[in-house]
Amino acid sequence: MARKFSFGATRLMRTPSETRVFDEADTLEGLFVTSSRVESDEPISVVGIAESVHEGILVKAKLKTRWHGECVRCLGEASGEIDVSVIELFEQGADPEGETYHFDGDVIDMVEMIRDNVVLELPIAPLCSVNCKGLCQYCGADLNHGRCECDMAPKDPRWQTLETLRHEGSESAGNAD
Ligand SMILES: [Zn+2]
Ligand SMILES: [Zn+2]
């Protein structure tokens, strides 16, 4: 069986303007940033066309998959879709500029291209929903499930105690003689 996300380019290289379509779904490991990831069993759909151009092989592809992560506001499950279009040039041999992908022999391997572009789309600060209310900063209750007791007392009681102590302290200091 052929390597995943790869195709032979012999005919493409031999014939200018020759095209080849591809439509593949497979998994990749190690797609993550600190706060979100594509699960290693989550299929990534890669649909597109490769075209033989003067500089090499031009790959136009649509990458689709799902990401999962932890909501930065409520720490609950967050997930969403990645749907990105990419256009990348594959050149034969090493590329001194590093701005294109390169291939040796006659196989175009799109794994690095897919990896780079999917990781760029992963959210740094995922949200379970744009309307997520987050956790109460005082008691930690998930405000998406309703209000908490702290609603009634806007200030943390511990800070109120401290205020009282500070007030009393300054009073007694003023009276000390
Ligand atoms: Zn949330
Ligand atoms: Zn609360």
Side-chain angles (χ1 to χ4, degrees):
M1 209 187 117
R3 285 204 326 249
K4 60 173 76 171
F5 300 125
S6 299
F7 56 86
T10 313
R11 247 185 62 200
L12 284 171
M13 289 188 298
R14 218 183 283 144
T15 326
S17 306
E18 175 82 6
T19 56
R20 180 195 174 112
V21 293
F22 48 84
D23 182 347
E24 188 180 347
D26 211 325
T27 57
L28 284 180
E29 301 213 340
L31 297 177
F32 61 87
V33 293
T34 317
S35 46
S36 60
R37 68 201 170 272
V38 174
E39 302 288 3
S40 55
D41 61 353
E42 183 78 49
I44 303 162
S45 154
V46 179
V47 179
I49 186 164
E51 185 185 354
S52 179
V53 295
H54 179 66
E55 300 86 353
I57 307 294
L58 193 64
V59 171
K60 301 175 190 174
K62 215 162 168 42
L63 316 178
K64 274 191 190 183
T65 187
R66 283 195 79 75
W67 59 264
H68 292 270
E70 189 179 68
C71 175
V72 289
R73 286 189 202 153
C74 72
L75 310 182
E77 275 267 326
S79 71
E81 192 174 78
I82 289 175
D83 185 346
V84 62
S85 297
V86 302
I87 301 179
E88 303 284 4
L89 180 67
F90 284 76
E91 288 183 292
Q92 205 168 15
D95 166 42
E97 300 295 322
E99 286 172 1
T100 62
Y101 292 92
H102 55 89
F103 64 102
D104 297 317
D106 59 356
V107 174
I108 302 280
D109 182 342
M110 296 189 290
V111 169
E112 196 188 341
M113 178 198 86
I114 296 164
R115 193 178 286 286
D116 292 348
N117 284 284
V118 167
V119 168
L120 270 179
E121 294 295 310
L122 285 172
I124 302 297
L127 291 175
C128 63
S129 133
V130 286
N131 300 317
C132 176
K133 296 189 177 75
L135 303 180
C136 169
Q137 58 178 313
Y138 302 117
C139 73
D142 188 338
L143 300 175
N144 295 305
H145 301 322
R147 295 174 154 205
C148 61
E149 303 284 317
C150 311
D151 244 14
M152 305 301 169
K155 272 191 171 179
D156 186 316
R158 283 171 299 180
W159 292 115
Q160 269 173 351
T161 310
L162 198 67
E163 286 289 308
T164 313
L165 287 175
R166 193 183 291 150
H167 190 65
E168 282 170 357
S170 63
E171 261 182 8
S172 56
N175 294 338
D177 58 25

